Structures are given as C-alpha cells and as structure tokens.
C-alpha cells in the first residue's frame, strides 16, 4: 500500500511537472527551459540530502550517472514534445512507452503480482492508451516529428527509472543527486554548444523552475516506491501521470477531453484498486 501511495504521488508530480515544462518550452527554446528546470531539480535534492542521507558507492555513481544522461534526454525530448502538442495525446504516448520497459524489466527480475496484480497491470496499461485517445479532428493529430519525439521521450524516461531502480537500496538520495548533477551538466553543455541557435526569447523562469522542482519530487517518490514495492507495479502506476497533464491541459489550455479519455481515467482508478489488493 505504501509503495502504491508513493507511486501515485510520483505520478501526480510528474503530470504537473510535464504540464509546466511544456508551457515553458512554448515560451522559449526547450534548452532554455531545461537550463532552469534541471538545476532547480538538483537544488531540491541537495536540500534533501541532510534529511534522507546519501552514499556514493561505485554502483551508485554508475547508475546515478546513467540515469542523469537518460534524464537530460527525457527533459529535452518531453518538453519539446509537449511544446509541439497536443498535450492530451502526446503525453500519454510517452507514458505508455515509459511504462512498458520497466514493467518488462521488473517481471524478468522476478516481480510476482498474483491474480489481482496480473489483472490490474494490463488494465492500467489499457488506461494509459485510453487516456491518449484524441477526438479525431485533423487539427488535433500530432505531426510525425512530434510523435517521434514522444516515443523518444518515453524511452528516455523508462531508462531513467530503470537505472534509478538498479542503484543500491541503501544509497539514500545519492543516485538522484548524481543523476541530476550529470543531467544539469549535459544540459548546460548542450546549451553552450547551441547558444546561437537558442533564439533571443527569455525562458519562463518561474514555470521552468517549478517544473524542475516537481520533477525532483516525482523522482524521489518513485525511488522510494520502487524500493518498497515491485518495479512492475510502481512503474505502471507512475505512468498514469498523463491524467494530471490532460486535466491541466483541459482546464488551463481548453484542450478537449474525449469520451475515451474519460473512460481511461475510470479504468485507471479500477486498475489502481486492483493493484492495491495485490
């Protein structure tokens, strides 16, 4: 139960972070947004260090650094995806991809879900697909570049979560600190190399920083959930984060929610209930 609650909290934080990051990327080049979000996220993890502790064994350094590289790619691809839009279709596409890989890894590593879990898991994946259902209007269909960016973002997110889960369970927030430090360095280096191509627009500082803070909270909750529960269950619950993004896009940006998406939200609730009984 604790793992599920942590995963739900992670899902909510990821959904809000993605929405804010997408908004920020609409106001300036995506790298300008990530340049603010990644260091803000690192700051939160450094502040948590004295309270939650951290160790930096070689395995922690390796897996944390790997997660940082994947995180940098996820930041840039995801915010670019959401900036192109429509959010209510592309965000769930990334979520489906980000769920499938960790679920597969968890099952291979020996996660045992029981009857209710084996029922709830595919139901949750189906919920992600339903939430991604657009209303079919031509103007709402994502472009090919946007769809490819969404697929890449989902893969990068999946790798980040898998790498974090592989870090030693007694490493505290060490993997998060190392990962975010690496992702910040990669992002700043990329921004420096592409400085003349970033355009004159200033980033939305508050929105970008808030996205980074929420992403850091989401990462922490995921790590705690994965350490106390099965990766397959935690990953698929976390992957329900598009529900938050879709709802925010509906009420803030007036993007339409199709009937299939509403069914998907109900399906997600049923899946969470079944997984709670696992």
């Amino acid at each position: 139960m604790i793992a599920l609650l942590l995963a739900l909290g992670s899902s909510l934080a990821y959904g809000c972070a993605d929405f804010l990051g997408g908004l920020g990327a609409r106001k300036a080049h995506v790298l300008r947004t990530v340049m603010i979000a990644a260091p803000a996220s690192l700051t939160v993890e450094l502040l948590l260090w004295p309270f939650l502790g951290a160790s930096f064994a070689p395995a922690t350094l390796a897996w944390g650094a790997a997660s940082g590289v994947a995180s940098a790619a996820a930041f840039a691809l995801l915010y670019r995806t959401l900036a192109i839009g429509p959010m209510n279709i592309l965000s769930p596409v990334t979520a489906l991809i980000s769920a499938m890989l960790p679920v597969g890894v968890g099952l291979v590593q020996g996660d045992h879900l029981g009857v209710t879990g084996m029922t709830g898991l595919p139901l949750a994946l189906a919920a992600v697909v339903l939430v991604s259902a657009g209303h079919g209007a031509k103007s709402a269909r994502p472009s090919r570049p946007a769809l490819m960016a969404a697929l890449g973002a989902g893969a990068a997110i999946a790798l980040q979560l898998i790498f974090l889960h592989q870090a030693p369970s007694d490493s505290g927030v060490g993997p998060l600190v190392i990962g975010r430090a690496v992702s910040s360095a990669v992002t700043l280096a990329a921004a420096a190399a592409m400085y003349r191509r970033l355009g004159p627009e200033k980033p939305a500082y508050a929105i970008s920083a808030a996205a980074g803070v929420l992403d850091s909270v989401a990462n922490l909750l995921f790590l705690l959930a994965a350490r106390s529960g099965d990766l397959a269950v935690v990953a698929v619950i976390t992957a329900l984060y598009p529900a938050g993004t879709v709802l925010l896009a509906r009420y803030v940006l007036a993007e339409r929610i199709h009937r299939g998406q509403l069914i998907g939200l109900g399906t997600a609730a049923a899946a969470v209930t079944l997984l709670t009984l696992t």
Side-chain angles (χ1 to χ4, degrees), residues 26-272:
R26 291 184 177 185
K27 298 179 181 298
H29 193 283
V30 63
L31 276 179
R32 290 194 181 277
T33 300
V34 180
M35 284 172 60
I36 305 300
S41 182
L42 174 60
T43 301
V44 172
E45 284 153 8
L46 289 174
L47 291 174
L48 290 172
W49 184 351
F51 300 98
L52 299 179
S55 66
F56 299 96
T60 301
L61 294 175
W63 289 115
S67 74
V69 174
S71 175
F75 257 132
L77 287 170
L78 183 60
Y79 291 175
R80 178 59 179 164
T81 297
L82 298 180
I84 298 174
M87 284 188 182
N88 62 353
I89 295 178
L90 294 176
S91 176
V93 170
T94 67
L96 181 61
I97 301 300
S98 70
M100 291 174 64
L101 290 177
V103 165
V105 170
L107 293 176
V108 168
Q109 291 182 341
D111 288 349
H112 300 288
L113 304 180
V115 176
T116 55
M118 293 304 294
T119 303
L121 194 63
L123 195 61
L125 290 172
V128 175
V129 176
L130 287 170
V131 171
S132 71
H135 58 71
K138 184 176 181 180
S139 61
R141 292 174 183 170
S143 63
R144 182 180 179 85
L147 185 58
M148 293 304 295
L151 294 173
I157 293 170
L159 290 175
Q160 178 194 3
L161 299 182
I162 291 170
F163 293 154
L164 284 176
H165 179 258
Q166 299 304 314
S169 59
D170 60 352
S171 56
V173 296
L176 299 179
V177 172
I178 295 299
R180 195 57 75 212
V182 169
S183 67
S184 297
V186 170
T187 298
L188 294 175
M194 299 176 58
Y195 181 76
R196 294 186 178 182
R197 299 170 56 185
L198 299 185
E201 297 85 359
K202 294 183 178 180
Y205 292 100
I207 291 177
S208 301
V213 169
L214 286 169
D215 185 80
S216 182
V217 171
N219 283 339
L220 173 63
L221 293 176
F222 169 82
L223 187 61
L224 296 176
R227 287 174 176 175
S228 58
D230 292 329
L231 176 61
V233 174
V234 169
V236 77
I237 294 299
T238 301
L240 293 173
Y241 67 81
T245 306
V246 165
L247 291 174
L248 285 172
R250 169 64 182 89
Y251 291 107
V252 177
L253 302 179
E255 290 190 1
R256 181 181 175 185
I257 298 180
H258 187 252
R259 181 181 300 174
Q261 293 175 309
L262 293 175
I263 296 174
L265 294 175
T267 304
V272 171

